[in-house]
Amino acid sequence: MTTAHGRRLFILGLAAAPVTLITSPLTAQARTIWSADEAYDALLADSARVVDVRSREEWLETGVGAGVWPISMHEDRFPDRLFAAKALAGSRDVGLICATGGRSASLLRALRQARYDGYVDISEGMLGSRRGPGWLAAGLPVVPLDAALASMPEDLA
C-alpha cells in the first residue's frame, strides 16, 4: 500500500474505537478527548497544535479559534494537509475541532483505526455539545478566517 493510499484509507475507516476519559487536567496531554479550555491552554503553552476541520462557510460564520489552523475536511487535499500539520507539530499532539464534536470524533476514530497517533478530539467543538459549552461560549478568542489563513504555515496552504 502506498503512503498516499494509506493516508486516504483512514477517512473511510470510521469504525468505533474505545476512548479513555481521565478527569485530571494534569493528564490532558495523555488523553484522547480535551475540552476547549484544555486545547487553548495547550496552544498557549506551545504543547499542542489545533486543526479546525469545519467548512469554509462555518469559519466565515463564527471565525476560527485564535492560533488554530483551518484545514477543512470538506476540501481537496485534506489528508495531505492534516498529515502536514502533524509533521509541523512534531511531538506535540494535534487537537481536532469541529462544530459540536461529531466530525472530529469520527476523524479521530478513523485515524486510530489506521494506527495514526498524536491526535486528540476537542469534543465540545466550537458551538458546544453534551461534553461542554464549546470554544465560543467559553469565551475563548477567535479571529476572522482571513487572519487565520494568513497566519498558517506555508506548508499547510
Side-chain angles (χ1 to χ4, degrees):
M1 173 182 335
T2 67
T3 304
H5 180 70
R7 288 181 177 177
R8 284 174 179 77
L9 281 180
F10 83 88
I11 291 177
L12 300 176
L14 297 177
V19 177
T20 302
L21 295 176
I22 303 171
T23 56
S24 169
L26 298 174
T27 59
Q29 297 296 11
R31 293 179 22 226
T32 59
I33 295 178
W34 291 350
S35 69
D37 284 322
E38 288 170 326
Y40 186 64
D41 288 346
L43 276 173
L44 291 178
D46 196 31
S47 60
R49 297 290 181 255
V50 175
V51 171
D52 186 333
V53 301
R54 297 178 300 148
S55 69
R56 192 165 292 266
E57 292 78 18
E58 290 172 289
W59 298 330
L60 288 169
E61 187 176 312
T62 65
V64 177
V68 174
W69 293 336
I71 303 174
S72 177
M73 67 188 300
H74 307 286
E75 294 181 5
D76 291 340
R77 296 184 34 247
F78 173 70
D80 295 332
R81 295 175 72 210
L82 180 65
F83 289 114
K86 180 59 182 135
L88 288 171
S91 63
R92 295 174 282 231
D93 283 330
V94 173
L96 305 170
I97 193 166
C98 63
T100 60
R103 287 171 284 185
S104 58
S106 293
L107 181 56
L108 181 65
R109 279 192 303 273
L111 287 162
R112 289 188 164 275
Q113 181 181 15
R115 303 210 189 302
Y116 290 104
D117 59 2
Y119 296 92
V120 178
D121 177 24
I122 304 166
S123 64
E124 56 191 89
M126 291 295 288
L127 304 179
S129 72
R130 63 180 175 82
R131 294 202 181 266
W135 190 283
L136 297 173
L140 299 174
V142 295
V143 297
L145 175 58
D146 59 346
L149 292 171
S151 67
M152 281 182 59
E154 191 174 307
D155 292 350
L156 301 181

